[in-house]
Short mmCIF file of all heavy atoms in Angstrom, two decimals:
data_model
loop_
_atom_site.label_atom_id
_atom_site.label_comp_id
_atom_site.label_asym_id
_atom_site.label_seq_id
_atom_site.Cartn_x
_atom_site.Cartn_y
_atom_site.Cartn_z
N VAL A 6 -48.67 -88.71 -0.05
CA VAL A 6 -48.30 -89.85 0.81
C VAL A 6 -49.54 -90.31 1.56
O VAL A 6 -50.13 -89.55 2.33
CB VAL A 6 -47.20 -89.45 1.81
CG1 VAL A 6 -46.67 -90.68 2.52
CG2 VAL A 6 -46.08 -88.69 1.11
N GLY A 7 -49.90 -91.57 1.34
CA GLY A 7 -51.16 -92.12 1.89
C GLY A 7 -52.17 -92.17 0.77
O GLY A 7 -52.59 -91.14 0.25
N SER A 8 -52.52 -93.41 0.36
CA SER A 8 -53.47 -93.54 -0.76
C SER A 8 -54.81 -94.04 -0.26
O SER A 8 -55.36 -95.01 -0.78
CB SER A 8 -52.89 -94.50 -1.81
OG SER A 8 -51.66 -94.03 -2.25
N GLY A 9 -55.33 -93.39 0.78
CA GLY A 9 -56.64 -93.73 1.32
C GLY A 9 -57.69 -92.84 0.69
O GLY A 9 -57.55 -92.37 -0.44
N TYR A 10 -58.77 -92.58 1.41
CA TYR A 10 -59.89 -91.80 0.87
C TYR A 10 -59.41 -90.43 0.41
O TYR A 10 -59.73 -89.96 -0.68
CB TYR A 10 -61.00 -91.66 1.93
CG TYR A 10 -61.80 -92.93 2.07
CD1 TYR A 10 -61.41 -93.96 2.93
CD2 TYR A 10 -62.95 -93.13 1.33
CE1 TYR A 10 -62.13 -95.12 3.05
CE2 TYR A 10 -63.69 -94.30 1.44
CZ TYR A 10 -63.27 -95.28 2.29
OH TYR A 10 -63.99 -96.47 2.41
N VAL A 11 -58.63 -89.77 1.25
CA VAL A 11 -58.19 -88.41 0.91
C VAL A 11 -57.04 -88.43 -0.10
O VAL A 11 -57.08 -87.71 -1.11
CB VAL A 11 -57.77 -87.65 2.18
CG1 VAL A 11 -57.05 -86.35 1.85
CG2 VAL A 11 -58.99 -87.36 3.02
N GLY A 12 -56.04 -89.27 0.15
CA GLY A 12 -54.87 -89.30 -0.73
C GLY A 12 -55.23 -89.69 -2.16
O GLY A 12 -54.78 -89.03 -3.12
N VAL A 29 -48.06 -92.47 -2.96
CA VAL A 29 -47.23 -93.35 -2.15
C VAL A 29 -48.07 -94.01 -1.06
O VAL A 29 -48.97 -93.36 -0.50
CB VAL A 29 -46.10 -92.52 -1.49
CG1 VAL A 29 -45.17 -93.41 -0.68
CG2 VAL A 29 -45.32 -91.74 -2.53
N ASP A 30 -47.80 -95.26 -0.80
CA ASP A 30 -48.43 -95.91 0.37
C ASP A 30 -47.47 -96.95 0.89
O ASP A 30 -46.59 -97.44 0.16
CB ASP A 30 -49.76 -96.54 -0.01
CG ASP A 30 -50.72 -96.57 1.17
OD1 ASP A 30 -50.53 -97.44 2.07
OD2 ASP A 30 -51.64 -95.74 1.23
N ASN A 31 -47.60 -97.32 2.18
CA ASN A 31 -46.75 -98.40 2.71
C ASN A 31 -47.51 -99.71 2.78
O ASN A 31 -47.01 -100.68 3.36
CB ASN A 31 -46.17 -98.02 4.09
CG ASN A 31 -47.24 -97.73 5.11
OD1 ASN A 31 -48.44 -97.83 4.81
ND2 ASN A 31 -46.85 -97.39 6.32
N ASP A 32 -48.71 -99.74 2.19
CA ASP A 32 -49.48 -100.97 2.13
C ASP A 32 -49.28 -101.58 0.74
O ASP A 32 -49.89 -101.13 -0.23
CB ASP A 32 -50.96 -100.61 2.41
CG ASP A 32 -51.86 -101.84 2.33
OD1 ASP A 32 -51.46 -102.86 1.75
OD2 ASP A 32 -52.99 -101.74 2.85
N LYS A 35 -52.30 -102.77 -1.21
CA LYS A 35 -53.10 -101.69 -1.80
C LYS A 35 -52.44 -101.18 -3.08
O LYS A 35 -53.08 -100.96 -4.11
CB LYS A 35 -53.21 -100.54 -0.78
CG LYS A 35 -54.20 -99.48 -1.17
CD LYS A 35 -54.30 -98.39 -0.12
CE LYS A 35 -55.43 -98.64 0.85
NZ LYS A 35 -55.71 -97.53 1.76
N LEU A 69 -40.98 -93.89 -0.65
CA LEU A 69 -41.28 -92.51 -0.24
C LEU A 69 -40.10 -91.56 -0.52
O LEU A 69 -40.29 -90.41 -0.94
CB LEU A 69 -41.66 -92.49 1.24
CG LEU A 69 -41.96 -91.14 1.88
CD1 LEU A 69 -42.99 -90.35 1.09
CD2 LEU A 69 -42.44 -91.33 3.32
N ALA A 82 -51.02 -87.31 3.53
CA ALA A 82 -52.45 -87.62 3.67
C ALA A 82 -52.67 -88.95 4.39
O ALA A 82 -53.53 -89.73 4.03
CB ALA A 82 -53.13 -87.62 2.30
N VAL A 83 -51.81 -89.21 5.39
CA VAL A 83 -51.94 -90.47 6.13
C VAL A 83 -52.97 -90.27 7.26
O VAL A 83 -53.38 -89.15 7.55
CB VAL A 83 -50.58 -90.92 6.72
CG1 VAL A 83 -49.59 -91.20 5.60
CG2 VAL A 83 -50.01 -89.86 7.67
N GLY A 84 -53.33 -91.36 7.92
CA GLY A 84 -54.36 -91.31 8.95
C GLY A 84 -53.86 -90.60 10.21
O GLY A 84 -52.67 -90.59 10.50
N THR A 85 -54.82 -90.00 10.94
CA THR A 85 -54.53 -89.38 12.25
C THR A 85 -55.61 -89.88 13.24
O THR A 85 -56.43 -89.09 13.70
CB THR A 85 -54.57 -87.85 12.16
OG1 THR A 85 -55.75 -87.44 11.43
CG2 THR A 85 -53.36 -87.32 11.43
N TYR A 97 -48.12 -91.57 12.54
CA TYR A 97 -48.01 -91.82 11.09
C TYR A 97 -47.41 -90.59 10.40
O TYR A 97 -46.57 -90.70 9.54
CB TYR A 97 -49.35 -92.17 10.46
CG TYR A 97 -50.03 -93.36 11.09
CD1 TYR A 97 -50.93 -93.23 12.14
CD2 TYR A 97 -49.77 -94.63 10.61
CE1 TYR A 97 -51.55 -94.34 12.70
CE2 TYR A 97 -50.40 -95.76 11.17
CZ TYR A 97 -51.25 -95.59 12.21
OH TYR A 97 -51.87 -96.68 12.79
N SER A 100 -43.74 -90.34 11.24
CA SER A 100 -42.88 -91.29 10.53
C SER A 100 -42.66 -90.85 9.08
O SER A 100 -41.58 -91.00 8.52
CB SER A 100 -43.42 -92.72 10.67
OG SER A 100 -43.98 -93.15 9.50
N VAL A 101 -43.69 -90.24 8.48
CA VAL A 101 -43.52 -89.72 7.12
C VAL A 101 -42.49 -88.57 7.13
O VAL A 101 -41.57 -88.52 6.31
CB VAL A 101 -44.86 -89.24 6.52
CG1 VAL A 101 -44.64 -88.55 5.17
CG2 VAL A 101 -45.80 -90.42 6.34
N GLU A 104 -39.06 -89.91 7.46
CA GLU A 104 -38.57 -90.65 6.29
C GLU A 104 -38.23 -89.71 5.13
O GLU A 104 -37.28 -89.97 4.39
CB GLU A 104 -39.62 -91.66 5.87
CG GLU A 104 -39.02 -92.90 5.26
CD GLU A 104 -40.09 -93.93 4.90
OE1 GLU A 104 -41.07 -94.09 5.66
OE2 GLU A 104 -39.94 -94.55 3.82
N LYS A 118 -51.99 -82.46 4.60
CA LYS A 118 -53.34 -82.62 4.06
C LYS A 118 -54.20 -83.33 5.08
O LYS A 118 -55.43 -83.12 5.16
CB LYS A 118 -53.25 -83.43 2.75
CG LYS A 118 -54.46 -83.40 1.86
CD LYS A 118 -54.75 -82.01 1.41
CE LYS A 118 -55.57 -81.84 0.16
NZ LYS A 118 -56.12 -80.46 0.13
N SER A 119 -53.56 -84.20 5.88
CA SER A 119 -54.28 -84.86 6.97
C SER A 119 -54.82 -83.81 7.93
O SER A 119 -54.30 -82.70 7.99
CB SER A 119 -53.31 -85.75 7.77
OG SER A 119 -52.73 -86.73 6.94
N THR A 120 -55.86 -84.19 8.66
CA THR A 120 -56.41 -83.29 9.68
C THR A 120 -55.54 -83.41 10.93
O THR A 120 -55.43 -84.50 11.50
CB THR A 120 -57.87 -83.67 10.00
OG1 THR A 120 -58.61 -83.57 8.79
CG2 THR A 120 -58.45 -82.76 11.04
N VAL A 121 -54.95 -82.29 11.32
CA VAL A 121 -53.95 -82.36 12.39
C VAL A 121 -54.17 -81.25 13.41
O VAL A 121 -54.74 -80.20 13.09
CB VAL A 121 -52.51 -82.21 11.82
CG1 VAL A 121 -52.17 -83.40 10.93
CG2 VAL A 121 -52.36 -80.90 11.06
N GLU A 150 -58.21 -80.52 4.12
CA GLU A 150 -59.10 -81.07 3.09
C GLU A 150 -60.53 -81.09 3.63
O GLU A 150 -60.76 -81.56 4.72
CB GLU A 150 -58.64 -82.50 2.70
CG GLU A 150 -59.47 -83.10 1.59
CD GLU A 150 -59.66 -82.12 0.42
OE1 GLU A 150 -58.66 -81.70 -0.17
OE2 GLU A 150 -60.81 -81.78 0.11
N PHE A 151 -61.47 -80.56 2.81
CA PHE A 151 -62.87 -80.47 3.27
C PHE A 151 -63.79 -81.42 2.52
O PHE A 151 -65.00 -81.31 2.62
CB PHE A 151 -63.35 -79.03 3.12
CG PHE A 151 -62.55 -78.02 3.91
CD1 PHE A 151 -61.59 -77.25 3.28
CD2 PHE A 151 -62.72 -77.92 5.28
CE1 PHE A 151 -60.83 -76.34 4.02
CE2 PHE A 151 -61.94 -77.02 6.03
CZ PHE A 151 -61.00 -76.23 5.39
N LEU A 152 -63.21 -82.32 1.72
CA LEU A 152 -64.06 -83.21 0.92
C LEU A 152 -64.94 -84.08 1.82
O LEU A 152 -64.60 -84.38 2.96
CB LEU A 152 -63.24 -84.10 -0.01
CG LEU A 152 -62.25 -85.09 0.57
CD1 LEU A 152 -62.91 -86.35 1.07
CD2 LEU A 152 -61.22 -85.47 -0.49
N ARG A 153 -66.11 -84.45 1.27
CA ARG A 153 -67.00 -85.37 1.98
C ARG A 153 -66.99 -86.68 1.23
O ARG A 153 -67.09 -86.70 0.00
CB ARG A 153 -68.42 -84.83 2.00
CG ARG A 153 -68.60 -83.52 2.71
CD ARG A 153 -69.87 -82.83 2.27
NE ARG A 153 -69.85 -82.50 0.84
CZ ARG A 153 -70.87 -81.96 0.18
NH1 ARG A 153 -72.01 -81.72 0.80
NH2 ARG A 153 -70.78 -81.69 -1.12
N GLU A 154 -66.88 -87.79 1.95
CA GLU A 154 -66.93 -89.07 1.27
C GLU A 154 -68.30 -89.19 0.59
O GLU A 154 -69.31 -88.74 1.11
CB GLU A 154 -66.72 -90.20 2.27
CG GLU A 154 -65.28 -90.27 2.71
CD GLU A 154 -65.01 -91.35 3.76
OE1 GLU A 154 -65.77 -92.30 3.84
OE2 GLU A 154 -64.01 -91.21 4.49
N LYS A 227 -59.66 -76.19 9.99
CA LYS A 227 -60.20 -77.52 9.74
C LYS A 227 -60.89 -78.08 10.98
O LYS A 227 -62.03 -78.55 10.91
CB LYS A 227 -59.05 -78.47 9.32
CG LYS A 227 -59.44 -79.90 9.10
CD LYS A 227 -60.48 -80.09 8.02
CE LYS A 227 -61.04 -81.50 8.01
NZ LYS A 227 -62.12 -81.71 7.09
N SER A 282 -65.08 -91.42 9.78
CA SER A 282 -63.71 -91.39 10.31
C SER A 282 -63.28 -90.00 10.71
O SER A 282 -62.17 -89.82 11.21
CB SER A 282 -62.76 -91.94 9.24
OG SER A 282 -62.73 -91.00 8.16
N CYS A 283 -64.13 -88.98 10.50
CA CYS A 283 -63.69 -87.62 10.77
C CYS A 283 -64.36 -86.98 12.01
O CYS A 283 -63.67 -86.68 12.98
CB CYS A 283 -63.90 -86.74 9.55
SG CYS A 283 -62.80 -87.16 8.22
N LYS A 286 -63.60 -88.38 15.64
CA LYS A 286 -62.21 -88.23 16.11
C LYS A 286 -61.78 -86.76 16.12
O LYS A 286 -61.04 -86.34 17.00
CB LYS A 286 -61.26 -89.10 15.24
CG LYS A 286 -60.79 -88.43 13.99
CD LYS A 286 -59.57 -89.08 13.40
CE LYS A 286 -59.28 -88.62 11.99
NZ LYS A 286 -59.00 -87.20 11.79
N ASP A 287 -62.27 -85.98 15.16
CA ASP A 287 -61.84 -84.59 15.12
C ASP A 287 -62.41 -83.79 16.28
O ASP A 287 -61.77 -82.87 16.78
CB ASP A 287 -62.24 -83.94 13.78
CG ASP A 287 -61.43 -84.51 12.61
OD1 ASP A 287 -60.42 -85.22 12.89
OD2 ASP A 287 -61.77 -84.27 11.44
N PHE A 342 -71.47 -95.32 6.92
CA PHE A 342 -71.75 -94.23 7.86
C PHE A 342 -72.59 -93.13 7.22
O PHE A 342 -73.19 -92.32 7.89
CB PHE A 342 -70.46 -93.71 8.51
CG PHE A 342 -69.76 -92.64 7.73
CD1 PHE A 342 -70.00 -91.29 7.98
CD2 PHE A 342 -68.82 -92.97 6.74
CE1 PHE A 342 -69.34 -90.30 7.26
CE2 PHE A 342 -68.15 -91.99 6.04
CZ PHE A 342 -68.42 -90.64 6.31
N ASP A 348 -67.46 -96.57 3.31
CA ASP A 348 -66.74 -96.42 4.57
C ASP A 348 -67.65 -96.75 5.74
O ASP A 348 -68.76 -96.22 5.86
CB ASP A 348 -66.25 -94.96 4.68
CG ASP A 348 -65.14 -94.80 5.70
OD1 ASP A 348 -64.95 -95.72 6.51
OD2 ASP A 348 -64.47 -93.76 5.68
N ARG A 350 -66.30 -96.81 8.98
CA ARG A 350 -65.62 -96.40 10.21
C ARG A 350 -66.60 -95.58 11.07
O ARG A 350 -67.20 -94.63 10.59
CB ARG A 350 -64.35 -95.61 9.88
CG ARG A 350 -63.26 -96.49 9.27
CD ARG A 350 -62.03 -95.71 8.90
NE ARG A 350 -62.22 -94.88 7.70
CZ ARG A 350 -61.26 -94.16 7.14
NH1 ARG A 350 -60.04 -94.15 7.67
NH2 ARG A 350 -61.49 -93.44 6.07
N1 NAD B 501 -61.96 -89.47 4.91
C1 NAD B 501 -62.40 -88.23 4.87
O1 NAD B 501 -63.54 -87.95 4.51
C2 NAD B 501 -61.49 -87.07 5.24
C3 NAD B 501 -61.83 -85.78 4.86
C4 NAD B 501 -60.97 -84.74 5.19
C5 NAD B 501 -59.82 -84.99 5.90
N2 NAD B 501 -59.50 -86.29 6.26
C6 NAD B 501 -58.26 -86.53 6.98
O2 NAD B 501 -57.29 -87.03 6.05
C7 NAD B 501 -56.41 -87.98 6.68
C8 NAD B 501 -56.46 -89.30 5.95
O3 NAD B 501 -57.77 -89.82 6.03
P1 NAD B 501 -58.25 -91.04 5.11
O4 NAD B 501 -59.71 -91.21 5.40
O5 NAD B 501 -57.80 -90.84 3.72
O6 NAD B 501 -57.42 -92.23 5.80
P2 NAD B 501 -57.19 -93.71 5.22
O7 NAD B 501 -57.02 -94.57 6.41
O8 NAD B 501 -58.26 -94.05 4.23
O9 NAD B 501 -55.81 -93.62 4.40
C9 NAD B 501 -54.56 -93.46 4.98
C10 NAD B 501 -53.55 -94.14 4.10
O10 NAD B 501 -52.24 -93.82 4.57
C11 NAD B 501 -51.40 -94.95 4.43
N3 NAD B 501 -50.22 -94.79 5.29
C12 NAD B 501 -50.17 -94.82 6.63
N4 NAD B 501 -48.87 -94.60 7.05
C13 NAD B 501 -48.14 -94.44 5.93
C14 NAD B 501 -46.76 -94.19 5.70
N5 NAD B 501 -45.89 -94.07 6.71
N6 NAD B 501 -46.33 -94.08 4.43
C15 NAD B 501 -47.21 -94.22 3.41
N7 NAD B 501 -48.52 -94.45 3.56
C16 NAD B 501 -48.99 -94.55 4.80
C17 NAD B 501 -52.33 -96.10 4.80
O11 NAD B 501 -51.84 -97.34 4.30
C18 NAD B 501 -53.63 -95.67 4.12
O12 NAD B 501 -53.70 -96.14 2.80
C19 NAD B 501 -56.88 -88.04 8.13
O13 NAD B 501 -56.14 -87.14 8.90
C20 NAD B 501 -58.32 -87.59 8.06
O14 NAD B 501 -58.78 -87.02 9.27
C21 NAD B 501 -60.30 -87.33 5.93
#
Side-chain angles (χ1 to χ4, degrees):
V6 190
S8 302
Y10 284 86
V11 168
V29 183
D30 209 283
N31 59 1
D32 179 342
K35 190 179 265 189
L69 178 53
V83 297
T85 47
Y97 302 92
S100 106
V101 172
E104 212 178 321
K118 195 61 158 161
S119 300
T120 301
V121 294
E150 184 47 60
F151 301 101
L152 63 79
R153 298 160 297 176
E154 288 178 21
K227 176 61 190 174
S282 67
C283 291
K286 86 162 167 61
D287 291 348
F342 86 93
D348 198 345
R350 291 178 286 184

